[in-house]
Amino acid sequence: MTRPRWNANLHYDRLLAAGVPADARSVLDVGCGDGFLAVRLAKRVPEVTAVDIDGPVLQRARARFPGAPVRWVNEDFLAAEPETYDAVVSNAMLHHLPDTALALRRLASSVAPGGTLGVVTLVRYAPRNTLWQLASWVAIGIAIRVRGKWEHTAPLRWPPRDTLRQVRAHARAVLPGVRVRRLLYGRVLISWQAPPRSAA
């Protein structure tokens, strides 16, 4: 029996999907990579758009999920004309971009009034976070030993540019009311809800 695909990125697809409201009609997955999160969302959300700047990895995602009701888009999200969605998600993409605050601002601009944004990202080691990050490294080592590790086909970027403190500062500066919480496996979750549309 073949083991299900697992790595620390895929592990958090479920968490991001759970943050998408049950009544969402449209979702954007930014930096969709191999496409697993987009296809998971397409099982319950009518319109799913998956964007990635890497053409070959997007082609592999299409080929892996033939017939999936996902609109696959090969473009630079930061340079594209913004469209709005009920929810925007992104997993392990933010640390690839050169300006975290700019990227968060652009992600937020794609969230419709009252909609949600969920981002899982990696952070750089900082001495103040030694215990948390040590626990994360031990946990991921155990998980790989028990479950094995599936190597994704998207490009790698290591180490991440920002520490947890820097990610939190960028998020708070750009997204009023944002929540940033630590996760296992050296990641953090950025959660934000856009203000509702003004009644005026």
Side-chain angles (χ1 to χ4, degrees), residues 23-50:
D23 61 350
R25 306 296 296 170
S26 62
V27 179
L28 174 66
D29 179 6
V30 181
C32 66
D34 290 284
F36 292 97
L37 176 56
V39 171
R40 176 190 287 269
L41 289 165
K43 292 176 181 176
R44 67 175 178 91
V45 180
E47 298 175 20
V48 176
T49 300

PDB file of all heavy atoms in Angstrom, residues 23-50:
ATOM      1  N   ASP A  23     -19.562  29.253   3.203  1.00  0.00           N
ATOM      2  CA  ASP A  23     -20.379  29.856   2.149  1.00  0.00           C
ATOM      3  C   ASP A  23     -19.556  30.551   1.068  1.00  0.00           C
ATOM      4  O   ASP A  23     -20.107  31.243   0.205  1.00  0.00           O
ATOM      5  CB  ASP A  23     -21.375  30.843   2.760  1.00  0.00           C
ATOM      6  CG  ASP A  23     -20.690  31.996   3.502  1.00  0.00           C
ATOM      7  OD1 ASP A  23     -19.457  31.928   3.696  1.00  0.00           O
ATOM      8  OD2 ASP A  23     -21.389  32.954   3.887  1.00  0.00           O
ATOM      9  N   ALA A  24     -18.248  30.371   1.082  1.00  0.00           N
ATOM     10  CA  ALA A  24     -17.397  31.003   0.057  1.00  0.00           C
ATOM     11  C   ALA A  24     -17.763  30.470  -1.326  1.00  0.00           C
ATOM     12  O   ALA A  24     -17.916  29.259  -1.513  1.00  0.00           O
ATOM     13  CB  ALA A  24     -15.931  30.740   0.358  1.00  0.00           C
ATOM     14  N   ARG A  25     -17.868  31.361  -2.277  1.00  0.00           N
ATOM     15  CA  ARG A  25     -18.174  30.972  -3.656  1.00  0.00           C
ATOM     16  C   ARG A  25     -16.945  31.029  -4.556  1.00  0.00           C
ATOM     17  O   ARG A  25     -16.934  30.449  -5.630  1.00  0.00           O
ATOM     18  CB  ARG A  25     -19.255  31.898  -4.233  1.00  0.00           C
ATOM     19  CG  ARG A  25     -20.522  31.997  -3.407  1.00  0.00           C
ATOM     20  CD  ARG A  25     -21.248  30.674  -3.323  1.00  0.00           C
ATOM     21  NE  ARG A  25     -21.717  30.224  -4.632  1.00  0.00           N
ATOM     22  CZ  ARG A  25     -22.209  29.006  -4.872  1.00  0.00           C
ATOM     23  NH1 ARG A  25     -22.279  28.123  -3.884  1.00  0.00           N
ATOM     24  NH2 ARG A  25     -22.610  28.666  -6.075  1.00  0.00           N
ATOM     25  N   SER A  26     -15.913  31.758  -4.112  1.00  0.00           N
ATOM     26  CA  SER A  26     -14.707  31.882  -4.926  1.00  0.00           C
ATOM     27  C   SER A  26     -13.479  31.938  -4.028  1.00  0.00           C
ATOM     28  O   SER A  26     -13.504  32.575  -2.977  1.00  0.00           O
ATOM     29  CB  SER A  26     -14.772  33.130  -5.814  1.00  0.00           C
ATOM     30  OG  SER A  26     -14.856  34.299  -5.017  1.00  0.00           O
ATOM     31  N   VAL A  27     -12.414  31.247  -4.454  1.00  0.00           N
ATOM     32  CA  VAL A  27     -11.163  31.202  -3.691  1.00  0.00           C
ATOM     33  C   VAL A  27      -9.987  31.349  -4.643  1.00  0.00           C
ATOM     34  O   VAL A  27      -9.991  30.799  -5.750  1.00  0.00           O
ATOM     35  CB  VAL A  27     -11.016  29.874  -2.915  1.00  0.00           C
ATOM     36  CG1 VAL A  27      -9.691  29.851  -2.154  1.00  0.00           C
ATOM     37  CG2 VAL A  27     -12.159  29.677  -1.941  1.00  0.00           C
ATOM     38  N   LEU A  28      -8.989  32.081  -4.194  1.00  0.00           N
ATOM     39  CA  LEU A  28      -7.733  32.221  -4.929  1.00  0.00           C
ATOM     40  C   LEU A  28      -6.621  31.567  -4.127  1.00  0.00           C
ATOM     41  O   LEU A  28      -6.435  31.873  -2.952  1.00  0.00           O
ATOM     42  CB  LEU A  28      -7.411  33.701  -5.141  1.00  0.00           C
ATOM     43  CG  LEU A  28      -6.056  34.025  -5.776  1.00  0.00           C
ATOM     44  CD1 LEU A  28      -5.991  33.519  -7.215  1.00  0.00           C
ATOM     45  CD2 LEU A  28      -5.782  35.529  -5.725  1.00  0.00           C
ATOM     46  N   ASP A  29      -5.883  30.658  -4.768  1.00  0.00           N
ATOM     47  CA  ASP A  29      -4.713  30.020  -4.161  1.00  0.00           C
ATOM     48  C   ASP A  29      -3.474  30.601  -4.831  1.00  0.00           C
ATOM     49  O   ASP A  29      -3.238  30.364  -6.021  1.00  0.00           O
ATOM     50  CB  ASP A  29      -4.790  28.503  -4.366  1.00  0.00           C
ATOM     51  CG  ASP A  29      -3.600  27.750  -3.784  1.00  0.00           C
ATOM     52  OD1 ASP A  29      -2.752  28.385  -3.115  1.00  0.00           O
ATOM     53  OD2 ASP A  29      -3.507  26.524  -4.006  1.00  0.00           O
ATOM     54  N   VAL A  30      -2.715  31.383  -4.074  1.00  0.00           N
ATOM     55  CA  VAL A  30      -1.554  32.085  -4.637  1.00  0.00           C
ATOM     56  C   VAL A  30      -0.284  31.294  -4.359  1.00  0.00           C
ATOM     57  O   VAL A  30      -0.001  30.930  -3.217  1.00  0.00           O
ATOM     58  CB  VAL A  30      -1.427  33.503  -4.037  1.00  0.00           C
ATOM     59  CG1 VAL A  30      -0.239  34.232  -4.656  1.00  0.00           C
ATOM     60  CG2 VAL A  30      -2.710  34.294  -4.263  1.00  0.00           C
ATOM     61  N   GLY A  31       0.491  31.044  -5.422  1.00  0.00           N
ATOM     62  CA  GLY A  31       1.672  30.197  -5.294  1.00  0.00           C
ATOM     63  C   GLY A  31       1.233  28.762  -5.091  1.00  0.00           C
ATOM     64  O   GLY A  31       1.702  28.077  -4.183  1.00  0.00           O
ATOM     65  N   CYS A  32       0.334  28.293  -5.957  1.00  0.00           N
ATOM     66  CA  CYS A  32      -0.344  27.006  -5.754  1.00  0.00           C
ATOM     67  C   CYS A  32       0.577  25.804  -5.876  1.00  0.00           C
ATOM     68  O   CYS A  32       0.238  24.708  -5.423  1.00  0.00           O
ATOM     69  CB  CYS A  32      -1.497  26.864  -6.734  1.00  0.00           C
ATOM     70  SG  CYS A  32      -0.983  26.757  -8.472  1.00  0.00           S
ATOM     71  N   GLY A  33       1.744  25.980  -6.492  1.00  0.00           N
ATOM     72  CA  GLY A  33       2.693  24.867  -6.587  1.00  0.00           C
ATOM     73  C   GLY A  33       2.091  23.639  -7.230  1.00  0.00           C
ATOM     74  O   GLY A  33       1.521  23.701  -8.323  1.00  0.00           O
ATOM     75  N   ASP A  34       2.167  22.514  -6.542  1.00  0.00           N
ATOM     76  CA  ASP A  34       1.714  21.240  -7.111  1.00  0.00           C
ATOM     77  C   ASP A  34       0.206  21.062  -7.122  1.00  0.00           C
ATOM     78  O   ASP A  34      -0.289  20.039  -7.589  1.00  0.00           O
ATOM     79  CB  ASP A  34       2.376  20.087  -6.367  1.00  0.00           C
ATOM     80  CG  ASP A  34       3.871  19.999  -6.673  1.00  0.00           C
ATOM     81  OD1 ASP A  34       4.217  19.535  -7.765  1.00  0.00           O
ATOM     82  OD2 ASP A  34       4.677  20.414  -5.829  1.00  0.00           O
ATOM     83  N   GLY A  35      -0.538  22.020  -6.591  1.00  0.00           N
ATOM     84  CA  GLY A  35      -1.980  22.043  -6.790  1.00  0.00           C
ATOM     85  C   GLY A  35      -2.846  21.331  -5.772  1.00  0.00           C
ATOM     86  O   GLY A  35      -4.072  21.330  -5.891  1.00  0.00           O
ATOM     87  N   PHE A  36      -2.256  20.747  -4.740  1.00  0.00           N
ATOM     88  CA  PHE A  36      -3.045  19.947  -3.801  1.00  0.00           C
ATOM     89  C   PHE A  36      -4.085  20.773  -3.041  1.00  0.00           C
ATOM     90  O   PHE A  36      -5.215  20.331  -2.840  1.00  0.00           O
ATOM     91  CB  PHE A  36      -2.121  19.235  -2.813  1.00  0.00           C
ATOM     92  CG  PHE A  36      -1.272  18.173  -3.445  1.00  0.00           C
ATOM     93  CD1 PHE A  36       0.038  18.433  -3.832  1.00  0.00           C
ATOM     94  CD2 PHE A  36      -1.778  16.902  -3.676  1.00  0.00           C
ATOM     95  CE1 PHE A  36       0.816  17.462  -4.420  1.00  0.00           C
ATOM     96  CE2 PHE A  36      -1.002  15.918  -4.265  1.00  0.00           C
ATOM     97  CZ  PHE A  36       0.303  16.191  -4.641  1.00  0.00           C
ATOM     98  N   LEU A  37      -3.700  21.974  -2.599  1.00  0.00           N
ATOM     99  CA  LEU A  37      -4.636  22.805  -1.848  1.00  0.00           C
ATOM    100  C   LEU A  37      -5.779  23.266  -2.747  1.00  0.00           C
ATOM    101  O   LEU A  37      -6.950  23.235  -2.344  1.00  0.00           O
ATOM    102  CB  LEU A  37      -3.913  24.006  -1.238  1.00  0.00           C
ATOM    103  CG  LEU A  37      -4.772  25.035  -0.501  1.00  0.00           C
ATOM    104  CD1 LEU A  37      -5.598  24.381   0.608  1.00  0.00           C
ATOM    105  CD2 LEU A  37      -3.896  26.149   0.066  1.00  0.00           C
ATOM    106  N   ALA A  38      -5.467  23.689  -3.956  1.00  0.00           N
ATOM    107  CA  ALA A  38      -6.511  24.155  -4.881  1.00  0.00           C
ATOM    108  C   ALA A  38      -7.536  23.056  -5.148  1.00  0.00           C
ATOM    109  O   ALA A  38      -8.747  23.302  -5.138  1.00  0.00           O
ATOM    110  CB  ALA A  38      -5.878  24.622  -6.191  1.00  0.00           C
ATOM    111  N   VAL A  39      -7.073  21.843  -5.366  1.00  0.00           N
ATOM    112  CA  VAL A  39      -7.990  20.738  -5.659  1.00  0.00           C
ATOM    113  C   VAL A  39      -8.800  20.365  -4.426  1.00  0.00           C
ATOM    114  O   VAL A  39      -9.988  20.041  -4.522  1.00  0.00           O
ATOM    115  CB  VAL A  39      -7.202  19.530  -6.211  1.00  0.00           C
ATOM    116  CG1 VAL A  39      -8.082  18.303  -6.330  1.00  0.00           C
ATOM    117  CG2 VAL A  39      -6.609  19.886  -7.572  1.00  0.00           C
ATOM    118  N   ARG A  40      -8.197  20.429  -3.258  1.00  0.00           N
ATOM    119  CA  ARG A  40      -8.940  20.187  -2.018  1.00  0.00           C
ATOM    120  C   ARG A  40     -10.093  21.197  -1.897  1.00  0.00           C
ATOM    121  O   ARG A  40     -11.228  20.834  -1.558  1.00  0.00           O
ATOM    122  CB  ARG A  40      -8.005  20.316  -0.812  1.00  0.00           C
ATOM    123  CG  ARG A  40      -8.721  20.172   0.534  1.00  0.00           C
ATOM    124  CD  ARG A  40      -7.793  20.550   1.678  1.00  0.00           C
ATOM    125  NE  ARG A  40      -6.771  19.554   1.911  1.00  0.00           N
ATOM    126  CZ  ARG A  40      -6.879  18.531   2.757  1.00  0.00           C
ATOM    127  NH1 ARG A  40      -7.991  18.370   3.463  1.00  0.00           N
ATOM    128  NH2 ARG A  40      -5.881  17.686   2.902  1.00  0.00           N
ATOM    129  N   LEU A  41      -9.799  22.470  -2.173  1.00  0.00           N
ATOM    130  CA  LEU A  41     -10.820  23.507  -2.064  1.00  0.00           C
ATOM    131  C   LEU A  41     -11.910  23.345  -3.115  1.00  0.00           C
ATOM    132  O   LEU A  41     -13.089  23.631  -2.860  1.00  0.00           O
ATOM    133  CB  LEU A  41     -10.174  24.883  -2.189  1.00  0.00           C
ATOM    134  CG  LEU A  41      -9.324  25.301  -0.989  1.00  0.00           C
ATOM    135  CD1 LEU A  41      -8.439  26.486  -1.348  1.00  0.00           C
ATOM    136  CD2 LEU A  41     -10.213  25.646   0.195  1.00  0.00           C
ATOM    137  N   ALA A  42     -11.523  22.877  -4.293  1.00  0.00           N
ATOM    138  CA  ALA A  42     -12.491  22.733  -5.386  1.00  0.00           C
ATOM    139  C   ALA A  42     -13.561  21.688  -5.093  1.00  0.00           C
ATOM    140  O   ALA A  42     -14.601  21.655  -5.764  1.00  0.00           O
ATOM    141  CB  ALA A  42     -11.759  22.379  -6.681  1.00  0.00           C
ATOM    142  N   LYS A  43     -13.359  20.862  -4.094  1.00  0.00           N
ATOM    143  CA  LYS A  43     -14.368  19.864  -3.732  1.00  0.00           C
ATOM    144  C   LYS A  43     -15.589  20.499  -3.083  1.00  0.00           C
ATOM    145  O   LYS A  43     -16.651  19.877  -3.001  1.00  0.00           O
ATOM    146  CB  LYS A  43     -13.757  18.827  -2.788  1.00  0.00           C
ATOM    147  CG  LYS A  43     -12.704  17.955  -3.458  1.00  0.00           C
ATOM    148  CD  LYS A  43     -12.058  17.011  -2.462  1.00  0.00           C
ATOM    149  CE  LYS A  43     -10.984  16.165  -3.148  1.00  0.00           C
ATOM    150  NZ  LYS A  43     -10.268  15.288  -2.181  1.00  0.00           N
ATOM    151  N   ARG A  44     -15.435  21.759  -2.586  1.00  0.00           N
ATOM    152  CA  ARG A  44     -16.583  22.396  -1.933  1.00  0.00           C
ATOM    153  C   ARG A  44     -16.804  23.854  -2.323  1.00  0.00           C
ATOM    154  O   ARG A  44     -17.825  24.435  -1.941  1.00  0.00           O
ATOM    155  CB  ARG A  44     -16.448  22.291  -0.414  1.00  0.00           C
ATOM    156  CG  ARG A  44     -15.302  23.073   0.202  1.00  0.00           C
ATOM    157  CD  ARG A  44     -15.355  22.974   1.721  1.00  0.00           C
ATOM    158  NE  ARG A  44     -14.272  23.647   2.398  1.00  0.00           N
ATOM    159  CZ  ARG A  44     -14.316  24.915   2.798  1.00  0.00           C
ATOM    160  NH1 ARG A  44     -15.386  25.652   2.560  1.00  0.00           N
ATOM    161  NH2 ARG A  44     -13.282  25.437   3.440  1.00  0.00           N
ATOM    162  N   VAL A  45     -15.862  24.439  -3.057  1.00  0.00           N
ATOM    163  CA  VAL A  45     -16.011  25.833  -3.470  1.00  0.00           C
ATOM    164  C   VAL A  45     -16.231  25.872  -4.977  1.00  0.00           C
ATOM    165  O   VAL A  45     -15.451  25.282  -5.731  1.00  0.00           O
ATOM    166  CB  VAL A  45     -14.762  26.659  -3.086  1.00  0.00           C
ATOM    167  CG1 VAL A  45     -14.931  28.112  -3.530  1.00  0.00           C
ATOM    168  CG2 VAL A  45     -14.515  26.589  -1.582  1.00  0.00           C
ATOM    169  N   PRO A  46     -17.283  26.533  -5.453  1.00  0.00           N
ATOM    170  CA  PRO A  46     -17.607  26.505  -6.881  1.00  0.00           C
ATOM    171  C   PRO A  46     -16.521  27.037  -7.816  1.00  0.00           C
ATOM    172  O   PRO A  46     -16.308  26.503  -8.898  1.00  0.00           O
ATOM    173  CB  PRO A  46     -18.880  27.358  -6.978  1.00  0.00           C
ATOM    174  CG  PRO A  46     -19.470  27.331  -5.610  1.00  0.00           C
ATOM    175  CD  PRO A  46     -18.312  27.240  -4.664  1.00  0.00           C
ATOM    176  N   GLU A  47     -15.837  28.115  -7.414  1.00  0.00           N
ATOM    177  CA  GLU A  47     -14.846  28.731  -8.296  1.00  0.00           C
ATOM    178  C   GLU A  47     -13.502  28.812  -7.578  1.00  0.00           C
ATOM    179  O   GLU A  47     -13.359  29.546  -6.599  1.00  0.00           O
ATOM    180  CB  GLU A  47     -15.290  30.140  -8.697  1.00  0.00           C
ATOM    181  CG  GLU A  47     -16.585  30.182  -9.483  1.00  0.00           C
ATOM    182  CD  GLU A  47     -17.048  31.602  -9.750  1.00  0.00           C
ATOM    183  OE1 GLU A  47     -16.214  32.533  -9.672  1.00  0.00           O
ATOM    184  OE2 GLU A  47     -18.248  31.785 -10.009  1.00  0.00           O
ATOM    185  N   VAL A  48     -12.532  28.070  -8.078  1.00  0.00           N
ATOM    186  CA  VAL A  48     -11.183  28.067  -7.501  1.00  0.00           C
ATOM    187  C   VAL A  48     -10.196  28.470  -8.581  1.00  0.00           C
ATOM    188  O   VAL A  48     -10.154  27.857  -9.657  1.00  0.00           O
ATOM    189  CB  VAL A  48     -10.809  26.688  -6.926  1.00  0.00           C
ATOM    190  CG1 VAL A  48      -9.360  26.701  -6.425  1.00  0.00           C
ATOM    191  CG2 VAL A  48     -11.760  26.302  -5.798  1.00  0.00           C
ATOM    192  N   THR A  49      -9.411  29.491  -8.298  1.00  0.00           N
ATOM    193  CA  THR A  49      -8.352  29.942  -9.193  1.00  0.00           C
ATOM    194  C   THR A  49      -7.016  29.680  -8.510  1.00  0.00           C
ATOM    195  O   THR A  49      -6.835  30.041  -7.344  1.00  0.00           O
ATOM    196  CB  THR A  49      -8.489  31.439  -9.510  1.00  0.00           C
ATOM    197  OG1 THR A  49      -9.761  31.667 -10.141  1.00  0.00           O
ATOM    198  CG2 THR A  49      -7.370  31.913 -10.434  1.00  0.00           C
ATOM    199  N   ALA A  50      -6.109  29.029  -9.225  1.00  0.00           N
ATOM    200  CA  ALA A  50      -4.792  28.691  -8.681  1.00  0.00           C
ATOM    201  C   ALA A  50      -3.728  29.373  -9.527  1.00  0.00           C
ATOM    202  O   ALA A  50      -3.652  29.135 -10.738  1.00  0.00           O
ATOM    203  CB  ALA A  50      -4.589  27.179  -8.684  1.00  0.00           C
TER     204      ALA A  50
END
